[in-house]
Amino acid sequence: MDLLTVNNLNFYYGSNKSLDDVSLPIRRNSVTALIGPSGCGKTTLLRCFNRMHDLYPGNRYEGEILMDGRNILDRSEDLISLRSSLGMVFQKPTPFPMSVFDNIAYGLRLRRIRNSALIRDKVEKSLRQAALWEEVKDRLKESALGLSGGQQQRLVIARTLAVDPEAVLFDESTSALDPVSTQKIEDLMIELKKAVTIVAVTHNMQQAARVSDYTALMYIGKLVEYDRTEVIFTKPKHKMTEEYVLGKFG
Amino acid sequence: MSGIAKRKLSNSVAMGISVLCAAIGLGLLFLILYDVVRHGLSSFGWTLFAKDPAPPGMAGGGLRSAILGQILLTAAALLAGVPTGVLAGTFLSEYGRSLKLSKIISAVSDMAVSIPSIVTGAFVYAILVKPFGGFNGWAGAAALAIIVLPVIVRTTESMTSMVPWSLREAAFALGAPYHRVIVGVVWRAAAGGIFTGVLLAAARAAGETAPLLFTSFNSGHFSLNMSRPVPSLTVTIYQYAASPYESWVALAWGAALAVTAAVLLLNVTGRVMIGLKQRR
Ligand SMILES: Nc1ncnc2c1ncn2[C@@H]1O[C@H](COP(=O)(O)OP(=O)(O)OP(=O)(O)O)[C@@H](O)[C@H]1O
Ligand SMILES: [Mg+2]
């Protein structure tokens, strides 16, 4: 089953066309990796899914991204509920300037959940899911800014999971981390896909090969090839794909 | 002389002149402080805070009414100026960040910071004193509020726009509406800076005389009635220092010390907070 179906998507930053006729499915309960050389439009595509581009004036979408049969690019789309169901984890950790606990509770309180026992349970559950609980359970009241980079990134993942999203969008979320933290987050993605759908932008080919089920290669705003990851890495249809995954260009 | 030697010489001359000027400036500042402390201390004591001024020519008396009046006027000014200023500054850096109007408002606020305060006083006199038939505390507070407003607008604007967009995006990505992003994330991240700005603005307001001369003026008695003249330390200094009575001159020095101490304290607290923030 597809969570999202992208059909003939074009995207413009002002007059600058950054996505050109992109079509691909995002399958449920799987990890889809978006790869391609710098500037090819991976981030741009990812941010179409949760309509992040709407925050800035002059951006424009064409085409459609279907979710449960509706086009989420429609003007009438409720961005608040769309973004609640498609969480996003950025390249640099983005802990809010508040305690570890309040960071996780932020999204719950947004949804007017007031029951403190419920919030506590949810905070613990999400921190466990993000493999962070053991490290922070004694410092829930301390500022999240005091955590290490790797811990902050897992905190952000926990914060995203706390609101029960249908998908989590990762934008090079391990590129600023050490190998151990990276490993933890990769393991986490594999574990998480039982519950949620994952789309991950990455420059790390081993990561894409190890973690993802599907891979999409982009080049200058276009989708070059989309297939099961083992196909992309072993017998791709395009020469460019083969060269890219072997590190011969890009 | 070779080019390098010439440059070295002009460098040391420039350096020497700057150090000298800095020394003169600092020297004068310390001279003023020394003088204020020396004279002020002689009238400093519990009576200064506990008693109202004695009638002209009589010894003793204190500045209770002026101190309380000053606090009242400053607090009223902040009560009006801080929420307005914080909201306006937030508008400029958030909802209105891409509007041309915002750039104009920012520029006007910058200019407003440097409007001579006596002009503000005269303006408030025209609209809040003359039509109401006399000096009153509301007018004084309004004049001070007009003085602190642009400072707070600009500090809030710059402090909130220093909050990285990635932090806002992270909150939006959780499905937060803009006002929740502002209140829960942006203000929280900028709170230290905004508070510092408020302290510095309060210091500025507490040290103003000119706008109060035209507005709240002065009165020997303390009352919380803001529709009557309200005494303040700065106006008291102005009046008492120039009076022929020795006891009043002594009180003026006491008032000078009190104002200087309060303004210094606010400023130093503000600067220290800025320092702490930058170290983090
Ligand atoms: N805010 C923006 N305004 C205008 N053009 C932009 C903006 N952001 C990105 N672009 C352009 O859109 C194209 C795609 O950028 P995008 O950030 O999606 O690339 P990317 O594949 O994520 O690259 P990287 O791997 O370096 O992160 C680039 O040509 C870039 O210059
Ligand atoms: Mg990118």
Side-chain angles (χ1 to χ4, degrees):
Chain A
M1 245 319 271
D2 298 348
L3 174 70
L4 300 169
T5 312
V6 182
N7 288 327
N8 310 105
L9 176 67
N10 296 328
F11 179 82
Y12 302 80
Y13 289 108
S15 56
N16 177 9
K17 188 172 190 177
S18 290
L19 291 179
D20 187 0
D21 197 26
V22 171
S23 302
L24 80 166
I26 301 293
R27 309 242 188 256
R28 274 185 201 276
N29 296 99
S30 61
V31 178
T32 303
L34 298 181
I35 61 173
S38 184
C40 68
K42 306 178 294 293
T43 298
T44 305
L45 174 61
L46 199 68
R47 289 162 66 94
C48 287
F49 296 152
N50 64 349
R51 298 268 306 263
M52 220 50 175
H53 297 301
D54 288 47
L55 294 177
Y56 306 94
N59 294 339
R60 190 158 55 85
Y61 313 84
E62 280 169 8
E64 57 182 19
I65 300 177
L66 298 177
M67 182 177 181
D68 303 325
R70 68 180 197 282
N71 182 4
I72 60 170
L73 298 179
D74 271 351
R75 272 181 187 286
S76 59
E77 177 69 22
D78 176 4
L79 296 188
I80 288 177
S81 75
L82 176 72
R83 289 176 186 152
S84 307
S85 54
L86 303 177
M88 182 170 244
V89 179
F90 301 80
Q91 179 170 7
K92 292 220 186 86
T94 51
F96 297 145
M98 50 183 88
S99 71
V100 170
F101 187 95
D102 289 342
N103 259 278
I104 314 287
Y106 182 86
L108 302 169
R109 293 183 178 137
L110 271 182
R111 281 156 191 73
R112 303 214 160 67
I113 297 172
R114 297 268 184 271
N115 181 334
S116 57
L118 192 70
I119 293 182
R120 235 178 299 126
D121 284 353
K122 202 74 197 162
V123 168
E124 176 172 345
K125 183 164 167 265
S126 325
L127 283 169
R128 280 188 193 281
Q129 261 186 307
L132 187 59
W133 174 252
E134 291 303 324
E135 286 159 70
V136 300
K137 65 177 184 224
D138 298 321
R139 42 200 295 208
L140 294 175
K141 293 224 158 59
E142 287 172 36
S143 167
L145 304 181
L147 300 178
S148 75
Q151 291 173 330
Q152 289 184 351
Q153 197 65 302
R154 277 177 285 145
L155 175 84
V156 172
I157 295 174
R159 187 173 71 192
T160 307
L161 294 175
V163 295
D164 295 319
E166 291 196 61
V168 182
L169 314 170
F170 290 90
D171 192 354
E172 294 186 50
S173 303
T174 58
S175 65
L177 302 182
D178 66 290
V180 176
S181 306
T182 302
Q183 179 77 38
K184 280 189 180 157
I185 290 180
E186 289 179 4
D187 293 344
L188 196 61
M189 288 186 189
I190 297 172
E191 180 64 27
L192 281 177
K193 72 178 181 190
K194 292 174 194 156
V196 299
T197 303
I198 290 175
V199 186
V201 170
T202 181
H203 279 289
N204 179 336
M205 288 308 110
Q206 282 101 314
Q207 184 170 75
R210 193 172 93 79
V211 177
S212 71
D213 305 293
Y214 299 91
T215 297
L217 173 73
M218 297 181 65
Y219 184 64
I220 327 185
K222 285 193 189 336
L223 180 73
V224 177
E225 188 165 353
Y226 166 89
D227 214 320
R228 295 198 60 86
T229 298
E230 65 261 24
V231 176
I232 294 282
F233 279 83
T234 56
K235 39 184 185 313
K237 290 187 196 65
H238 292 76
K239 186 114 188 70
M240 185 188 275
T241 311
E242 186 180 339
E243 287 177 355
Y244 186 79
V245 298
L246 291 176
K248 287 195 185 143
F249 93 88
Chain B
M1 227 194 286
S2 78
I4 293 183
K6 235 189 230 166
R7 259 184 278 159
K8 273 193 176 155
L9 181 69
S10 59
N11 184 43
S12 10
V13 170
M15 181 88 139
I17 294 176
S18 335
V19 169
L20 190 71
C21 292
I24 293 176
L26 274 178
L28 280 174
L29 180 68
F30 277 104
L31 210 64
I32 294 172
L33 276 179
Y34 170 73
D35 221 33
V36 167
V37 172
R38 188 167 61 101
H39 284 101
L41 273 185
S42 58
S43 51
F44 227 70
W46 71 273
T47 41
L48 196 70
F49 298 94
K51 289 206 164 139
D52 283 340
M58 279 174 61
L63 295 166
R64 187 185 62 153
S65 53
I67 291 171
L68 291 176
Q70 183 90 54
I71 293 174
L72 184 66
L73 290 174
T74 311
L78 291 178
L79 218 58
V82 172
T84 324
V86 167
L87 289 174
T90 304
F91 174 82
L92 297 181
S93 65
E94 306 294 330
Y95 296 101
R97 67 184 190 279
S98 46
L99 299 180
K100 198 172 220 145
L101 178 70
S102 305
K103 309 239 156 38
I104 298 174
I105 297 176
S106 294
V108 169
S109 308
D110 269 345
M111 284 186 259
V113 171
S114 47
I115 290 179
S117 57
I118 197 157
V119 174
T120 308
F123 167 72
V124 174
Y125 176 83
I127 61 165
L128 284 179
V129 175
K130 198 110 187 292
F132 294 94
F135 296 121
N136 62 82
W138 295 117
L144 294 183
I146 294 175
I147 288 167
V148 298
L149 185 67
V151 179
I152 293 174
V153 170
R154 290 295 280 147
T155 337
T156 306
E157 185 192 0
S158 62
M159 290 300 149
T160 48
S161 45
M162 267 162 56
V163 176
W165 262 89
S166 58
L167 212 57
R168 293 180 181 77
E169 285 190 353
F172 281 118
L174 284 167
Y178 205 167
H179 67 275
R180 299 288 302 258
V181 176
I182 290 172
V183 175
V185 175
V186 178
W187 278 354
R188 203 184 280 257
I194 296 176
F195 185 67
T196 305
V198 170
L199 283 187
L200 297 180
R204 167 112 208 259
E208 285 291 352
T209 319
L212 297 182
L213 274 177
F214 287 89
T215 51
S216 52
F217 196 59
N218 204 352
S219 112
H221 315 283
F222 176 71
S223 87
L224 283 173
N225 189 347
M226 292 277 282
S227 31
R228 303 187 36 121
V230 171
S232 55
L233 285 170
T234 45
V235 175
T236 303
I237 297 172
Y238 172 78
Q239 289 191 321
Y240 285 19
S243 78
Y245 315 110
E246 230 169 81
S247 60
W248 276 21
V249 174
L251 277 182
W253 280 112
L257 182 58
V259 168
T260 310
V263 169
L264 266 183
L265 188 72
L266 287 170
N267 264 306
V268 168
T269 315
R271 302 286 163 193
V272 166
M273 284 184 61
I274 293 177
L276 286 182
K277 215 170 133 63
Q278 278 165 350
R279 202 149 0 119
R280 237 196 293 131

